[in-house]
Amino acid sequence: ILNVEQSPQSLHVQEGDSTNFTCSFPSSNFYALHWYRWETAKSPEALFVMTLNGDEKKKGRISATLNTKEGYSYLYIKGSQPEDSATYLCAPRMGYGNNRLAFGKGNQVVVIP
Amino acid sequence: DGGITQSPKYLFRKEGQNVTLSCEQNLNHDAMYWYRQDPGQGLRLIYYSQIVNDFQKGDIAEGYSVSREKKESFPLTVTSAQKNPTAFYLCASSIPGITEAFFGQGTRLTVV
């Protein structure tokens, strides 16, 4: 079983505040890292797929960074809005060509209006 | 419209019965996945398939079986050996490689 840690598991954020959370994974044999957003009553949707150390990706107010040498990724939400309330899931892929996609437990975010 | 279809949305079964959950995709994806979600557990990988006629166990495969006879279909059977089958089940598919996965709407299975 791949050890994927997401912290904090749950957080409440005041509307307008910025927040961030972490996905940690084994640094050896890294291939790619996926971030997904899972809103209640919907299916998970991809946010980012990242592969390069130092990579930074952005989608609206959400951005992510990747450190493959130390095995972590940060997800940032700038100026949180109620529609950002969701569970954010990360899934590292280990080993070139490996299609196994196993997720961490997620970061559950509740934005308080 | 291209996508992944899971049916039914809700499924009820009696304890001791096997039940098969359907997952069909028309995205022409080679890789397909089955996950289970329980409260506080996130998504746990049951089985995945990288190509037709091939599949591998995930982290919690015990009590489950799958087949991949067609590219479009990856049915999951929850057998009577699965001790806690009541859960929400999600199917996903992707193009092999570093591309994103696409998810179905899920099936909520309740075993009574």
Side-chain angles (χ1 to χ4, degrees):
Chain A
I1 295 180
L2 187 64
N3 188 21
V4 182
E5 297 284 339
Q6 290 191 247
S7 62
Q9 202 164 340
S10 176
L11 63 160
H12 289 73
V13 185
Q14 205 68 37
E15 182 177 354
D17 287 351
S18 296
T19 189
N20 65 84
F21 30 89
T22 309
C23 171
S24 301
F25 49 88
S27 57
S28 60
N29 211 23
F30 174 83
Y31 179 43
L33 182 82
H34 294 230
W35 278 104
Y36 291 80
R37 175 167 57 197
W38 192 5
E39 297 177 67
T40 302
K42 294 185 178 180
S43 301
E45 290 186 339
L47 285 171
F48 309 112
V49 179
M50 308 172 79
T51 57
L52 300 175
N53 184 47
D55 205 3
E56 182 170 345
K57 297 214 171 183
K58 191 175 179 182
K59 189 173 187 176
R61 291 176 292 95
I62 300 177
S63 60
T65 61
L66 179 65
N67 183 323
T68 62
K69 295 187 186 304
E70 296 182 46
Y72 65 86
S73 175
Y74 292 138
L75 192 81
Y76 301 89
I77 304 177
K78 184 178 178 182
S80 303
Q81 299 297 309
E83 58 264 31
D84 296 327
S85 295
T87 297
Y88 293 82
L89 299 164
C90 77
R93 280 193 172 172
M94 315 305 288
Y96 178 78
N98 184 359
N99 291 301
R100 178 187 172 100
L101 192 64
F103 290 87
K105 290 187 178 181
N107 305 105
Q108 185 178 26
V109 176
V110 175
V111 180
I112 303 165
Chain B
D1 285 333
I4 301 178
T5 302
Q6 290 185 244
S7 60
K9 193 171 181 179
Y10 299 95
L11 191 54
F12 295 87
R13 279 294 182 272
K14 289 185 179 179
E15 191 173 344
Q17 290 181 336
N18 290 357
V19 59
T20 297
L21 280 58
S22 168
C23 178
E24 303 278 332
Q25 54 98 0
N26 60 4
L27 299 168
N28 201 34
H29 288 171
D30 282 312
M32 295 188 75
Y33 307 84
W34 273 108
Y35 298 92
R36 167 184 173 138
Q37 193 225 4
D38 297 280
Q41 292 287 337
L43 287 179
R44 292 187 290 169
L45 180 64
I46 304 173
Y47 268 98
Y48 68 105
S49 167
Q50 302 190 80
I51 200 166
V52 173
N53 293 323
D54 173 77
F55 48 84
Q56 283 86 42
K57 291 182 179 180
D59 298 328
I60 54 165
E62 187 176 349
Y64 298 98
S65 66
V66 292
S67 63
R68 188 81 188 280
E69 296 176 3
K70 299 187 298 181
K71 191 175 187 178
E72 301 80 20
S73 179
F74 191 40
L76 174 75
T77 297
V78 185
T79 74
S80 56
Q82 168 51 232
K83 294 179 182 177
N84 296 296
T86 295
F88 183 67
Y89 291 87
L90 267 175
C91 178
S93 72
S94 75
I95 297 172
I98 60 171
T99 56
E100 64 192 272
F102 293 83
F103 287 81
Q105 296 293 315
T107 293
R108 186 165 297 280
L109 173 65
T110 302
V111 175
V112 295

